[in-house]
Amino acid sequence: MDSLADQALKYHSIERPGKIAIQVTKSVGSSADLALAYSPGVAAPCLAIQENPALAYEYTAKGNLVAVITNGTAVLGLGNIGALAGKPVMEGKAVLFKKFAGIDAFDLEIDELDPAKLVDIVASLHPTFGGINLEDIKAPECFWIERQLRDRLSIPVFHDDQHGTAIVVGAGLLNALHLTGRHIGQIKVVCSGAGAAAMACLEMLLELGVSKSNVFVCDSHGVLTTQRQLSSEKAAWAQDSECTTLAQIVRDADVFLGVSGPGLLSQQDVVNMAACPIVFALANPEPELRPELILEVVPDALVATGRSDYANQINNALCFPYLFRAALDCGASVINAEMKRACVDALAETARHDPRFGTQYLVPDLLDDRLLLNLPSRIAAAALRSGVAQRSLNEQQYRARLQALAETLRD
């Protein structure tokens, strides 16, 4: 049998190379059609948009088109492999947008390492798209790039490596706490990792009610303490602690959140955690400690991973298609904290309302049709409440639209 790598290479090369293509959505079967599609008919929508830019959402594909953008500096677990080598991942992201939410996405691999220049390039492309999904850009530059683009543009800009991970982690944690009877304001959380995903996850945990004084963070040099010289992003999480290593700080922790690297958590570390520990070992493809090794020493641990071959996969695809679906449909200018929180709650509730809900089912499956029905309507409502939506959607009518879309995508 071919290896996974061999199968993947065949998958990407058979028939037409790659995974995406452009589709024409209007009839072009006659000279009259062509005259409407291009010259001279195309002048009418051009002039209408010149007079009222909002009409671009009525006369072009802008309102259902997202840019998936990377410079290839932090691709999956592969690191800084360059923009071109990251293209299969960005095409894959476009596939997920289409498969799960009916959104057209175009991948843009930009060969630019200077953050300021990258911001200028992306900002100059914004008329084409209804939203921008930043992907696989290394920290700390990704923080600055996202902030700059959010400040400059009036369309949603979302760095999925940060916020997508945080949203799914938040939903999984809420359900793990529900199952173990813990109060979120009292738990001790230890995070291994201090990059973009880790920082966003930690911010989300605070939003959900975790006390910052109970959060301890480790990077490759150990615990972030006030005795260390740290960047501003890391210094914000420094604690006045005598502990200097992960093994020391993880003792009696209720939650371990791993967004770092393989093998950094030991079985003894898990034994030393609080009873019924919650262990989210998310390093991919090889986690901080494999689930079977965690459960071998602490059978009642609640475990999540970033891998698809284990239960409780923390996968960004559980949220980003639905965030953008809602943002595009309600004309949101940003994806804000209220929308992300609504996504967390809807995702957690969707899992809890499934007969499979339990220690092996903290978050829904990727192919759960309920996600498209449940998440965008909640997110769009949050956008309207928080004042960033340009259009009000009737909830009943919107859910009917989403149901029809789900049936189309299923066919």
Side-chain angles (χ1 to χ4, degrees), residues 42-272:
V42 75
C46 288
L47 293 173
I49 293 167
Q50 181 186 31
E51 183 175 344
N52 180 5
L55 290 176
Y57 290 89
E58 184 172 339
Y59 295 134
T60 77
K62 179 180 174 73
N64 196 52
L65 185 61
V66 168
V68 180
I69 296 177
T70 192
N71 65 356
T73 52
V75 179
L76 292 179
L78 305 174
N80 186 359
I81 62 175
L84 180 60
K87 186 172 176 64
V89 179
M90 303 309 119
E91 285 191 358
K93 199 66 174 286
V95 169
L96 299 180
F97 268 115
K98 191 69 172 182
K99 168 66 179 175
F100 295 130
I103 294 171
D104 296 319
F106 201 91
D107 62 298
L108 295 172
E109 294 75 32
I110 300 176
D111 191 12
E112 180 55 70
L113 300 181
D114 184 306
K117 290 182 179 178
L118 183 62
V119 166
D120 286 340
I121 292 168
V122 175
S124 69
L125 293 168
H126 87 273
T128 306
F129 302 102
I132 292 173
N133 185 105
L134 301 175
E135 187 81 6
D136 292 350
I137 300 172
K138 71 181 180 73
E141 290 91 333
C142 60
F143 302 116
W144 185 85
I145 290 167
E146 185 189 40
R147 285 196 300 267
Q148 291 293 309
L149 289 170
R150 283 169 61 98
D151 289 344
R152 289 175 60 169
L153 303 181
S154 59
I155 59 174
V157 178
F158 185 80
H159 186 215
D160 187 46
D161 298 320
Q162 296 180 57
H163 309 297
T165 302
I167 287 166
V168 185
V169 164
L173 179 62
L174 287 180
N175 283 343
L177 296 177
H178 176 84
L179 289 170
T180 58
R182 287 176 165 97
H183 186 281
I184 195 166
Q186 299 172 348
I187 60 172
K188 176 183 176 181
V189 177
V190 172
C191 178
S192 175
M199 295 301 180
C201 287
L202 295 174
E203 292 290 350
M204 176 58 73
L205 297 190
L206 299 191
E207 172 71 20
L208 295 176
V210 173
S211 172
K212 192 170 186 179
S213 63
N214 291 335
V215 175
F216 301 87
V217 184
C218 300
D219 64 6
S220 59
H221 301 290
V223 181
L224 302 187
T225 68
T226 52
Q227 288 75 46
R228 290 178 55 187
Q229 295 293 318
L230 300 167
S231 67
S232 59
E233 288 86 5
K234 291 184 179 182
W237 297 96
Q239 294 275 31
D240 186 12
S241 173
E242 296 292 325
C243 296
T244 59
T245 68
L246 174 62
Q248 292 170 339
I249 202 68
V250 81
R251 285 182 174 272
D252 300 318
D254 298 283
V255 178
F256 171 83
L257 172 61
V259 274
S260 49
L264 295 180
L265 187 71
S266 73
Q267 286 184 308
Q268 187 59 51
D269 291 334
V270 178
V271 170
N272 291 340

